[in-house]
Amino acid sequence: MISTFDRFGSLASSRMALLRLLVFCTLAACYMAYSPPGPPPPLPPNHPLHPLSCNDSQVLAVADFALQSINRDQKDGYTLSLSRVHDVWEHYQENMGSVYYLTLDVLETGCHVLSKKAPKDCGPRSLHESVYGQCKAMFHINKPNRVLYLLAYNCTLRPVSQKKIHFMCPDCPSPFDVSDPEVLEAATESLAKFNSENPSKQYSLVKVTRAVGQWVVGPSYFVDYLIKESPCTQSQASCSLQPSDSAPVGICHGSVVKAPLKKFVSVTCEFFEPKVPGDVNPDVTQESKKLPSVDKASQKNTAPTNSPSITAPRGSVQRLPDLDAGKLDDSKEKIPKEAFPVQLDLTTNPQGDTLDVSFLYLGPEEKKLEVWPFPRNQPRFPACPGPEGGTNPLILPP
């Protein structure tokens, strides 16, 4: 005969089992509700995009051409240099060459884009002034027809974390807002010094492009700013009225150090090479002998049928604050923000679309390329990203 105690014990055990099951189901539901989505399925074996090695000489040459084109397309900011190839995919198309899908880790140099200097001719930035980021680019190459063309690109840049820099170097200069009155005063005073030392021609301020501040023997400001020619002479009191359409002719690097008893002002200016009228677009046809030969004759792809022709936008560069800006010391974000939200798609059709590129070719026949959505979170070649080359981890995308 079962005792009352045994009956109550059995009932309690059943209730505990049900309670545990309820808790388990609740936790599972919460996990399903808040867990981040998993990676997308890998591309099927017959997909036309194939990952390549980030260290391949062909890939590095393509990356160099793509970054040259991105720099040429800019009218403001500083020239970008290649830090490393992050990942790369190729789509070979018979009789049309290849389309490369590149993700590039880049660094900002000290050369303004209007200088038209190659990145290799530009000095690196000091670590505390570094700006780094990523560019996604779609680049078309047809070697037999000598066509090299940037189809589209998007870049996102951020300055290095000032919180981490100040932890390593408390006395290093800090970035300043280019519209700060002290910054504008430093630019004006240093340009006045340059004009006083060059009486034959006068220049006026266009805009401040970079500014940092530091305490030396007093508050000190270091500024970069664009200048344009002024119709005024040195004897005139003011040169503020300038033609609105006049282009910048150079960039100046000025500094103002306010010591207790004296102010020290210095300036150096660099003038841009004038644009030659009638220059051909170097992005359409370039010398392709730098590209190693690759035999792709055996690769064939089936083009999507009834695909609409689409127009290729060029691209843009966006600048975001550093990753630690506005973040409290004890803050822990539940969902970390994407460091470099670079998106690039000429199509969102998973089956691909066609792009009319007839303007790149001679002859009356129509020329079309297949384009596909940019690969995201897909398994890449084992040799990617490429080597860091001694790059400081503070200026590499996470």
Side-chain angles (χ1 to χ4, degrees):
M1 189 174 187
I2 301 176
S3 64
T4 303
F5 178 80
D6 290 336
R7 284 199 300 270
F8 276 109
S10 177
L11 181 60
S13 297
S14 299
R15 288 179 174 175
M16 287 299 295
L18 288 172
L19 181 60
R20 283 195 295 268
L21 180 61
L22 178 62
V23 171
F24 175 79
C25 292
T26 303
L27 290 176
C30 291
Y31 178 80
M32 293 295 290
Y34 295 102
S35 62
L43 298 175
N46 60 346
H47 195 279
L49 271 61
H50 302 285
L52 300 179
S53 169
C54 292
N55 302 328
D56 183 80
S57 57
Q58 168 93 358
V59 168
L60 294 174
V62 173
D64 183 58
F65 280 125
L67 201 53
Q68 286 181 41
S69 298
I70 291 172
N71 283 325
R72 275 193 293 267
D73 200 46
Q74 305 310 304
K75 302 298 184 289
D76 195 15
Y78 290 82
T79 299
L80 300 177
S81 65
L82 181 65
S83 174
R84 64 180 180 181
V85 178
H86 197 88
D87 53 49
V88 57
W89 303 72
E90 182 187 12
H91 179 194
Y92 174 74
Q93 302 173 48
E94 194 169 6
N95 300 323
M96 285 298 295
S98 295
V99 176
Y100 290 84
Y101 297 71
L102 301 145
T103 301
L104 309 176
D105 293 341
V106 297
L107 292 171
E108 204 174 66
T109 69
C111 295
H112 197 274
V113 293
L114 296 180
S115 72
K116 303 299 181 183
K117 286 186 176 181
K120 63 182 179 63
D121 298 325
C122 300
R125 288 271 186 92
S126 301
L127 179 61
H128 63 272
E129 296 180 303
S130 293
V131 176
Y132 67 111
Q134 277 190 342
C135 293
K136 290 190 184 297
M138 294 173 62
F139 199 80
H140 170 46
I141 293 182
N142 188 330
K143 291 176 64 179
N145 289 275
R146 299 170 62 84
V147 171
L148 302 172
Y149 189 73
L150 180 67
L151 295 170
Y153 71 91
N154 271 330
C155 301
T156 299
L157 305 176
R158 290 184 186 272
V160 67
S161 167
Q162 288 303 304
K163 178 180 177 181
K164 294 174 181 176
I165 290 294
H166 287 158
F167 179 79
M168 299 166 52
C169 176
D171 296 328
C172 281
S174 300
F176 265 64
D177 189 329
V178 294
S179 62
D180 187 285
E182 297 286 350
V183 168
L184 296 176
E185 180 184 343
T188 302
E189 290 191 29
S190 61
L191 181 56
K193 177 179 175 64
F194 183 81
N195 282 332
S196 68
E197 296 172 350
N198 299 272
S200 60
K201 188 175 291 187
Q202 298 292 284
Y203 299 92
S204 59
L205 178 67
V206 176
K207 64 179 293 187
V208 178
T209 60
R210 186 188 67 90
V212 296
Q214 182 184 25
W215 185 273
V216 185
V217 291
S220 306
Y221 302 93
F222 307 89
V223 293
D224 290 356
Y225 51 91
L226 297 174
I227 57 172
K228 61 184 177 182
E229 290 188 16
S230 169
C232 305
T233 63
Q234 192 180 44
S235 60
Q236 291 175 295
S238 174
C239 289
S240 58
L241 297 178
Q242 304 300 324
S244 57
D245 58 347
S246 58
V249 297
I251 187 168
C252 295
H253 313 281
S255 68
V256 173
V257 178
K258 298 179 180 180
L261 301 178
K262 188 177 180 180
K263 183 185 292 185
F264 298 91
V265 181
S266 67
V267 62
T268 58
C269 294
E270 172 191 356
F271 291 90
F272 307 141
E273 292 185 8
K275 185 176 180 181
V276 179
D279 280 350
V280 297
N281 182 359
D283 292 336
V284 177
T285 57
Q286 298 187 21
E287 181 61 54
S288 59
K289 64 183 180 182
K290 295 181 182 179
L291 293 173
S293 60
V294 178
D295 183 10
K296 298 288 185 177
S298 61
Q299 296 188 22
K300 296 183 180 180
N301 297 297
T302 302
T305 58
N306 300 322
S307 298
S309 179
I310 55 179
T311 303
R314 290 291 293 183
S316 62
V317 176
Q318 65 170 332
R319 299 172 182 274
L320 301 178
D322 79 61
L323 284 170
D324 292 327
K327 188 187 298 184
L328 299 177
D329 293 339
D330 57 349
S331 66
K332 293 183 179 179
E333 298 179 356
K334 294 181 180 179
I335 302 178
K337 59 186 175 184
E338 189 176 359
F340 293 93
V342 186
Q343 303 297 333
L344 181 62
D345 278 319
L346 292 184
T347 179
T348 56
N349 183 353
Q351 301 303 314
D353 273 317
T354 57
L355 180 69
D356 189 347
V357 291
S358 303
F359 67 95
L360 297 174
Y361 294 84
L362 299 175
E365 66 273 12
E366 192 175 48
K367 297 287 188 178
K368 290 188 176 182
L369 280 174
E370 296 176 40
V371 292
W372 295 75
F374 206 98
R376 290 190 179 92
N377 303 319
Q378 295 292 344
R380 55 195 176 196
F381 201 87
C384 292
E388 299 174 7
T391 303
N392 191 294
L394 287 182
I395 48 177
L396 278 177

